[in-house]
Amino acid sequence: MEIKQHTVNICHSCHTAELSSAPAERYEFDIHTHTIASGHGSSATITDMAKAAAAKNLKMLGISDHGPATLGGGRVSYFRNLAYAQKERLGVRMLYGAEVNIIDREGHLDLDDSVLEYLDYVIASMHQPVIKPGTEDENTEAYINAMKNPYVTVIGHCDDTKFPVDYFRLFKAAMEHHVLLEINNSSLSPEGYRGDTKFNDLLILNLCCHFSYPVLFSSDSHGTKHVGDFTYAADAAKLAGVPRSLILNHSAKAFLSFLDGR
Ligand SMILES: [Zn+2]
Ligand SMILES: [Zn+2]
């Protein structure tokens, strides 16, 4: 399959100059966030989340609650109703998506296409105990098969050390299917529970640099506390020398164009 071309062109020899002349980081959006509908730990409503995004000066916020296979996750009726939710709250542009579960090696998801087609975007992730970690080959296949679903926009926290993957194969498939791999701030946080993911995140970030393919930072905030917080993701990207122009979170417009281009 032909790999799509992207508008971002980077001169690799310029990375250092670009980074050193960059203004203080300002991010415009976060699309991996969870409300009370995800069923664990948070009592935040969508409006609470919008308030937190406005307080962080975000222009856009995406709500991505867990799919129904997660214990206490969103019901199908919740995701269907998102089509009628307000497109703007407290001056923040709202996107409504889901963090669906990859439920088997064939890449099947826990929400049907008839639900996914009305969402703004879809993050597909592997979570225990919904799916048991397989071998590197099996996990890579499961992610790649999920990417073949045309509604899948992002692969969530594929830095998880419990689900080893072949990052080169995964990245090539992401480019072919026009899917983003996220750098999940909560994985990299000292409170993270996916093992020491830094090496895996650096592999992904180096591939982004090498192929000049954009990357997405995600807070994975459960509740309002970490909305728009990309502290650790940004540190990893800096270490890998990722140019600012490849980090989609600097521009809500760039992310919306990415979605439109799919
Ligand atoms: Zn997740
Ligand atoms: Zn999540």
Side-chain angles (χ1 to χ4, degrees):
M1 190 178 290
E2 192 190 344
I3 292 174
K4 292 195 179 183
Q5 296 299 309
H6 298 276
T7 51
V8 187
N9 288 310
I10 300 303
C11 171
H12 286 256
S13 60
C14 295
H15 287 178
T16 310
E18 191 168 336
L19 282 171
S20 61
S21 63
E25 295 305 337
R26 179 170 186 276
Y27 301 106
E28 291 192 350
F29 72 92
D30 183 5
I31 61 149
H32 189 156
T33 71
H34 297 272
T35 72
I36 191 172
S38 282
H40 44 255
S42 163
S43 59
T45 63
I46 293 176
T47 301
D48 293 335
M49 300 296 277
K51 243 182 237 174
K56 285 264 177 99
N57 286 321
L58 295 186
K59 283 188 179 172
M60 189 166 80
L61 175 69
I63 303 292
S64 57
D65 283 306
H66 285 301
T70 298
L71 189 65
R75 300 285 184 90
V76 171
S77 56
Y78 164 72
F79 292 104
R80 283 195 192 282
N81 280 321
L82 291 175
Y84 308 101
Q86 287 169 274
K87 302 293 180 205
E88 190 177 314
R89 290 179 198 238
L90 306 163
V92 178
R93 164 96 188 249
M94 300 297 296
L95 298 180
Y96 299 100
E99 185 184 11
V100 296
N101 287 283
I102 299 171
I103 57 174
D104 57 27
R105 304 280 165 242
E106 286 73 48
H108 291 114
L109 307 173
D110 63 344
L111 282 175
D112 286 344
D113 287 358
S114 63
V115 180
L116 301 183
E117 68 176 312
Y118 293 104
L119 298 176
D120 293 314
Y121 64 94
V122 175
I123 302 171
S125 303
M126 290 207 267
H127 298 112
Q128 293 189 86
V130 177
I131 187 167
K132 285 196 177 75
T135 62
E136 182 177 297
D137 264 358
E138 288 168 340
N139 297 330
T140 305
E141 276 306 311
Y143 279 132
I144 291 174
N145 285 332
M147 287 180 196
K148 292 176 185 168
N149 182 315
Y151 299 111
V152 170
T153 327
V154 178
I155 294 296
H157 48 73
C158 56
D159 55 2
D160 193 334
T161 59
K162 295 188 289 298
F163 290 89
V165 293
D166 177 337
Y167 285 100
F168 188 72
R169 269 181 73 202
L170 190 71
F171 203 89
K172 264 179 66 185
M175 290 193 295
E176 283 169 11
H177 297 290
H178 210 49
V179 165
L180 295 166
L181 303 185
E182 70 171 12
I183 300 299
N184 187 296
N185 199 67
S186 114
S187 294
L188 286 160
S189 139
E191 294 99 53
Y193 49 88
R194 299 185 185 112
D196 184 353
T197 65
K198 195 161 186 181
F199 184 79
N200 294 343
D201 284 299
L202 287 172
L203 283 176
I204 296 167
L205 290 162
N206 274 288
L207 287 163
C208 288
C209 285
H210 182 78
F211 289 108
S212 288
Y213 189 78
V215 67
L216 181 75
F217 289 171
S218 292
S219 72
D220 202 357
S221 184
H222 283 249
T224 56
K225 192 173 171 194
H226 298 292
V227 169
D229 181 0
F230 305 130
T231 309
Y232 304 107
D235 283 351
K238 199 170 177 185
L239 197 60
V242 179
R244 194 175 190 277
S245 55
L246 285 183
I247 301 167
L248 278 176
N249 305 72
H250 289 298
S251 168
K253 205 172 150 195
F255 179 67
L256 293 172
S257 302
F258 184 90
L259 290 183
D260 280 348
R262 301 185 80 245

